[in-house]
Amino acid sequence: MPHQCTSCGRTFPDGSKEMLSGCPDCGGNKFQFKPAGATADADSGGAADSGNEAPGSAAGPSGSAADQSDRTPPTPAEGSAPVANDESEPTPDERAADRRPADSADPTPSDAAASPDSATDGTEQIADRSDEDTAQASARSEVVSPDELDRASRDVDPAETPPAEEEPQPGIDALRDELNDQFESIRIVSPGQYELNLMELYDRQEYIISLQEDGRYVIEMPDAWGIGEE
Amino acid sequence: MGLLTNLRDSISRVTDGLFAADEPKRIGIYGPPNAGKTTLANRIARDWTGDAVGPESHIPHETRRARRKENVEIERNGRTVTIDIVDTPGVTTKVDYKEFLDHDMEKDDAVRRSREATEGVAEAMHWLREDVDGVIYVLDSTTDPFTQVNTMLIGIIESQDLPALILANKTDLPGSDVQQIANAFPQHETIPLSALEGDNMDEVYTKIAEYFG
Ligand SMILES: Nc1nc2c(ncn2[C@@H]2O[C@H](COP(=O)(O)OP(=O)(O)OP(=O)(O)O)[C@@H](O)[C@H]2O)c(=O)[nH]1
Ligand SMILES: [Mg+2]
């Protein structure tokens, strides 16, 4: 689950389409890249599956303020994908399915002439999503017990992300390799040295807005999701 | 144009006639680092609006965020063509902070510049995907145009069917070889100029009006 929403902590597997239209849980549009190696079971066989169900979200308090009081505080940025490994969580598949409409809004180059229709669509989706957020958030708070949350966070704590150091260390190198495998648009050769795969960058829908030397990215999705401000 | 990416912009411009047919085309100024993109953008903006777009520098990757100048009205043959110009960060496949150390930069600054430059390339590629209606591709005519970056970008531009002008910049320098650029991209028109000296800007404006008007 290499990507994590910076506002609610929900995690997403690399290449996840869901995050392309903003975080389904809180609507956030900033994600940081979390190398899988940073968490305990990430390289176990089930990693992909566990990433998929992002009930990381279940542990990560939702961005919507309403239900935050009875949960663990948001995992700070450096915190590691809260619960992505807990397979017992409610599967988000239904949730994912609910969000599908977002996919239909994927801008493609062929949309060249942005039509008024499509603009309207985008706006509606934003509205839809916030409705769902509330619903989803409360649904989650009913299923996830504090115990589970607790257990979940303990699972990952020991695997805290390695410190960002300039001296290459085995850990950092491994992390970097992992990052490079998963996110092939930018290869971090060493701090301050990058190789870019232009085609891959071009194909990606999201912006990469921030690179960090410890193998993380902060990624921003297309602007439209910030439109609520207006 | 990516509708999501443009939505916010579009809405803020709604009163100027959103989606009107005559909305200015957004022209991206692309090319490798140090080709003179910002110098050209500044010249165009100064000639027609009086403002500048951003800082120019002999140190590569000076531009690390795309910058836009809107509603640049260019007059050609009694006709006015309005475009938005976007000066983008130089595109490259490799960024190495060591390159900046030669320019008297501290290591920390060099590493940061290199990180920002990498982010800038990502941004430039993103704009190319969704946000430009045409491209001015700027090359330094004293350097070899047969590079992976040029081939790839021109390829993408062609695959998107974007109108594109290729500018062979820095013709004021002794090593300038415009023909080599024309040979490298025979399917496009190559226009020589010196953005720094302002040489041949008339032809550049005529072509801009013709291609993007
Ligand atoms: N001799 C000469 N120098 C030029 C010309 N155009 C630009 N330069 C110089 O080339 C250097 C780079 O110019 P910029 O305009 O900053 O180049 P850029 O393409 O924007 O570079 P990045 O932002 O780093 O990608 C500067 O020192 C400019 O003064 C030109 O026509 N002739
Ligand atoms: Mg520049």
Side-chain angles (χ1 to χ4, degrees):
Chain A
M1 51 336 34
H3 300 285
Q4 181 175 31
C5 174
T6 57
S7 39
C8 75
R10 173 160 178 178
T11 56
F12 302 84
D14 189 34
S16 166
K17 285 262 180 336
E18 282 182 277
M19 55 187 271
L20 293 184
S21 29
C23 177
D25 283 351
C26 72
N29 66 350
K30 288 196 182 170
F31 300 86
Q32 67 169 340
F33 183 83
K34 286 278 314 159
T39 57
D41 323 347
D43 4 51
S44 74
D49 297 340
S50 64
N52 251 341
E53 48 58 339
S57 55
S62 142
S64 45
D67 53 333
Q68 286 208 345
S69 41
D70 57 344
R71 295 160 172 242
T72 48
T75 321
E78 71 200 274
S80 71
V83 210
N85 299 319
D86 192 337
E87 306 270 5
S88 67
E89 293 300 325
T91 73
D93 288 357
E94 312 114 87
R95 265 184 255 149
D98 289 345
R99 317 298 164 176
R100 278 293 91 104
D103 282 352
S104 63
D106 278 358
T108 59
S110 58
D111 284 338
S115 68
D117 289 359
S118 24
T120 311
D121 284 348
T123 316
E124 277 166 2
Q125 276 160 17
I126 293 160
D128 287 349
R129 196 181 40 233
S130 39
D131 292 343
E132 285 176 6
D133 282 348
T134 319
Q136 292 296 345
S138 58
R140 268 198 316 283
S141 63
E142 282 154 19
V143 246
V144 182
S145 75
D147 278 353
E148 278 171 315
L149 291 177
D150 205 39
R151 183 156 30 81
S153 19
R154 257 184 283 115
D155 282 349
V156 280
D157 279 347
E160 275 301 314
T161 319
E165 288 177 26
E166 298 216 335
E167 288 306 302
Q169 294 172 349
I172 301 259
D173 284 345
L175 194 61
R176 215 170 262 147
D177 286 348
E178 190 134 13
L179 167 69
N180 290 336
D181 286 348
Q182 290 169 347
F183 203 91
E184 5 176 74
S185 39
I186 298 177
R187 228 174 84 76
I188 303 177
V189 180
S190 77
Q193 297 178 304
Y194 305 92
E195 288 174 11
L196 297 93
N197 181 335
L198 299 182
M199 227 39 211
E200 193 69 30
L201 284 171
Y202 171 73
D203 282 339
R204 287 198 165 239
Q205 183 173 8
E206 66 273 21
Y207 284 107
I208 296 166
I209 54 163
S210 177
L211 276 166
Q212 280 147 23
E213 284 307 337
D214 59 0
R216 295 203 199 119
Y217 296 76
V218 175
I219 294 173
E220 187 169 19
M221 293 304 144
D223 269 1
W225 303 113
I227 214 164
E229 298 151 18
E230 308 210 25
Chain B
M1 299 164 78
L3 70 96
L4 292 182
T5 323
N6 285 338
L7 205 48
R8 179 191 278 166
D9 272 1
S10 303
I11 285 188
S12 63
R13 283 187 310 198
V14 75
T15 49
D16 329 329
L18 174 60
F19 305 122
D22 59 352
E23 180 151 343
K25 294 233 174 62
R26 193 178 280 179
I27 309 305
I29 302 182
Y30 276 85
N34 225 33
K37 298 177 294 298
T38 305
T39 307
L40 174 71
N42 284 340
R43 180 163 291 279
I44 298 175
R46 284 205 192 96
D47 279 356
W48 302 101
T49 73
D51 305 332
V53 172
E56 306 160 12
S57 166
H58 65 287
I59 309 177
H61 297 291
E62 180 64 18
T63 308
R64 298 187 293 284
R65 298 300 312 251
R67 290 199 184 208
R68 184 165 40 173
K69 180 82 197 152
E70 294 188 327
N71 293 313
V72 178
E73 296 184 0
I74 296 175
E75 281 175 39
R76 278 295 100 167
N77 307 321
R79 201 162 70 95
T80 300
V81 173
T82 307
I83 57 172
D84 294 347
I85 53 180
V86 183
D87 178 29
T88 69
V91 173
T92 180
T93 53
K94 253 191 187 151
V95 182
D96 189 337
Y97 75 93
K98 289 192 179 130
E99 182 186 358
F100 305 132
L101 297 179
D102 302 338
H103 294 280
D104 245 3
M105 210 177 281
E106 294 296 324
K107 184 177 178 204
D108 283 358
D109 292 336
V111 168
R112 179 163 13 92
R113 187 181 181 96
S114 135
R115 193 152 59 216
E116 289 172 2
T118 303
E119 292 162 9
V121 175
E123 187 182 338
M125 295 309 290
H126 193 279
W127 276 76
L128 186 56
R129 173 185 160 122
E130 306 197 330
D131 292 322
V132 297
D133 306 312
V135 171
I136 295 177
Y137 200 80
V138 182
L139 288 166
D140 176 341
S141 61
T142 68
T143 66
D144 181 5
F146 293 95
T147 65
Q148 196 194 348
V149 167
N150 294 339
T151 309
M152 207 175 301
L153 285 185
I154 299 281
I156 289 173
I157 290 162
E158 287 171 356
S159 74
Q160 281 215 42
D161 264 335
L162 291 171
L165 268 182
I166 298 191
L167 302 193
N169 190 31
K170 310 199 185 184
T171 52
D172 57 297
L173 295 178
S176 166
D177 186 348
V178 176
Q179 193 54 44
Q180 194 178 21
I181 294 179
N183 294 344
F185 307 104
Q187 66 281 37
H188 296 278
E189 197 162 1
T190 297
I191 301 151
L193 83 155
S194 166
L196 189 66
E197 306 290 337
D199 298 343
N200 205 33
M201 288 306 293
D202 266 348
E203 185 182 3
V204 170
Y205 292 132
T206 303
K207 292 296 178 187
I208 287 177
E210 185 181 312
Y211 276 64
F212 310 123

